[in-house]
Amino acid sequence: MRIKICGITQPEQGKTIASLGATALGFMCVPSSPRYVNVEQIRAVVEQLPENVDKIGVFANASLEEIKQTVLDSGLTGAQLHGDESPEFVLQLREYLPDVEILKALRIRGTEDLEKVSSYTNYVDTVLLDAYHPQQLGGTGITLDWAMLEQFSPGCPWFLAGGLTPDNILDALNQVHPNGIDLSSGVERAPGDKDLDKVAKLFEKLKVVSS
Ligand SMILES: O=C(O)c1ccccc1N[C@@H]1O[C@H](COP(=O)(O)O)[C@@H](O)[C@H]1O
């Protein structure tokens, strides 16, 4: 299973979290986010990471040019679209960045929102399900209704996100079977300041699942 820890801001924390077992690190390229990092800050983390760790930039309603420039300048390997980006936008981004993983995040309130997933599955590499919040785009610490996802099986790989923590991850994975998980505020001391003890606890818990 893929394990993404998002909202990385500090090189040493990124390096340690990768060594603990994260398969992907996420970098907030959304200016309104309290975890926002610029290209220089992303590069400072990326250059410390092993080749095999995915480096995913999180964008929300950014332009194609902005995403392309940030991905190329920062050495990112993936672009997560966490805003209202359409399937057509995804297709255009694919032309701009043919060798980069494209993830579409969908903010889920109820089963009616799950019906939107199928319009993306032919165009993205990965779908990411996050909790809906009326004002915030993400990083809310709110969980989805996992029972709603017990039968969820889209036509492409998918990540479960939204309010996951070391203390609820096993409950979540008992109910739903994603290809990956994505955590941010659930492993933090403060926005952008990851709690390495919580990250270590997460991987200890995940050993229970994988053993
Ligand atoms: O983390 C943020 O500040 C953020 C801002 C705008 C869009 C997305 C954001 N984060 C994404 O939300 C998920 C879930 O966060 P959490 O685990 O509930 O805190 C996170 O993994 C990011 O991909």
Side-chain angles (χ1 to χ4, degrees):
M1 183 167 64
R2 299 178 70 185
I3 301 161
K4 172 172 173 267
I5 305 297
C6 202
I8 303 293
T9 61
Q10 300 169 37
E12 276 313 303
Q13 289 189 355
K15 190 177 174 183
T16 302
I17 290 169
S19 68
L20 285 169
T23 65
L25 298 188
F27 302 91
M28 292 311 310
C29 305
V30 181
S32 61
S33 167
R35 305 172 178 91
Y36 173 74
V37 280
N38 63 29
V39 166
E40 289 70 31
Q41 290 169 309
I42 298 172
R43 287 172 65 92
V45 181
V46 166
E47 62 196 23
Q48 309 247 354
L49 298 178
E51 194 69 29
N52 64 337
V53 170
D54 298 327
K55 297 94 178 168
I56 297 173
V58 181
F59 302 87
N61 304 320
S63 69
L64 291 164
E65 267 307 325
E66 183 184 349
I67 296 171
K68 178 181 178 181
Q69 212 53 56
T70 303
V71 166
L72 297 180
D73 291 350
S74 304
L76 295 170
T77 62
Q80 177 180 315
L81 307 175
H82 220 102
D84 306 312
E85 300 85 359
S86 67
E88 294 72 24
F89 183 91
V90 173
L91 270 178
Q92 291 173 316
L93 184 62
R94 180 75 73 196
E95 288 174 25
Y96 273 63
L97 292 169
D99 303 322
V100 162
E101 179 181 9
I102 299 178
L103 307 91
K104 178 68 186 105
L106 293 162
R107 299 185 303 279
I108 306 298
R109 267 166 291 194
T111 49
E112 69 283 357
D113 290 330
L114 288 178
E115 287 161 19
K116 299 173 186 170
V117 171
S118 58
S119 55
Y120 289 92
T121 50
N122 289 336
Y123 306 119
V124 299
D125 298 293
T126 310
V127 160
L128 183 145
L129 301 187
D130 191 9
Y132 173 81
H133 184 282
Q135 279 85 37
Q136 295 177 51
L137 287 174
T140 65
I142 299 170
T143 58
L144 282 80
D145 171 9
W146 299 325
M148 174 176 56
L149 300 173
E150 282 183 0
Q151 304 303 320
F152 181 68
S153 178
C156 70
W158 70 284
F159 272 88
L160 177 66
L164 297 177
T165 73
D167 294 327
N168 68 18
I169 192 64
L170 295 185
D171 289 343
L173 296 178
N174 277 334
Q175 295 183 59
V176 295
H177 307 291
N179 303 93
I181 54 174
D182 180 14
L183 293 83
S184 187
S185 56
V187 285
E188 281 183 335
R189 285 189 286 250
D193 180 12
K194 295 308 174 188
D195 182 326
L196 300 181
D197 291 336
K198 287 184 179 178
V199 176
K201 184 178 177 184
L202 171 75
F203 284 100
E204 279 306 308
K205 291 288 187 82
L206 292 172
K207 279 180 189 159
V208 172
V209 174
S210 56
S211 58

